Amino acid sequence: MTVDGGEASSWMGELTSAVVEPDKGGTLITSAYDGDDAEPWFLKGSAVQSSASDSLWRFTWNHTGEVVGFTLAPNGNADATADEPILRGSLTVGPRPALGGAASDKTFVFDFDWQLTGPPLLDDGSDS
């Protein structure tokens, strides 16, 4: 996953899950949706907490409320192809995440749930 907020970073080693999906029956928070696809879309996931300056946790903390571009390549590929497409779009970075957890946990994680500004684009590498 790559998010661009003035900087581009990849956090594949920190992500434990990431999914782009519509919220059927959900309420639109943004008003930028055009066309027939009226349900809100979200990038949802979990990641390992790290307060390092280049971590996803720190990016979320520093960019809460900003609209940024994103790319999600579920197959880990750099270039989109017909068999390994990439999702692209814009989203609003969600609220600042929690930091910490139970003393018995070896690794702390945080969840994120960021609304897209419109339906994502499925990039399959074609020009159409």
Side-chain angles (χ1 to χ4, degrees):
M1 179 178 82
T2 301
V3 177
D4 180 15
E7 67 215 59
S9 299
S10 178
W11 299 287
M12 293 305 289
E14 296 174 39
L15 287 172
T16 58
S17 69
V19 62
V20 173
E21 63 184 7
D23 182 5
K24 300 288 185 190
T27 302
L28 288 176
I29 298 171
T30 62
S31 60
Y33 279 47
D34 293 325
D36 298 330
D37 203 351
E39 66 262 356
W41 282 78
F42 291 86
L43 171 60
K44 300 178 182 184
S46 299
V48 173
Q49 287 182 18
S50 168
S51 57
S53 63
D54 62 349
S55 70
L56 178 57
W57 184 94
R58 183 67 74 90
F59 177 89
T60 304
W61 187 271
N62 290 338
H63 296 278
T64 294
E66 294 180 21
V67 175
V68 298
F70 80 93
T71 301
L72 180 64
N75 296 297
N77 48 311
D79 298 316
T81 67
D83 291 330
E84 294 183 339
I86 294 174
L87 291 175
R88 301 182 192 281
S90 295
L91 55 79
T92 301
V93 178
R96 288 186 169 153
L99 181 62
S104 60
D105 291 344
K106 293 182 180 184
T107 303
F108 300 149
V109 297
F110 74 98
D111 298 323
F112 56 91
D113 191 352
W114 301 343
Q115 186 170 347
L116 278 59
T117 60
L121 169 70
L122 182 67
D123 179 359
D124 63 4
S126 67
D127 291 334
S128 57

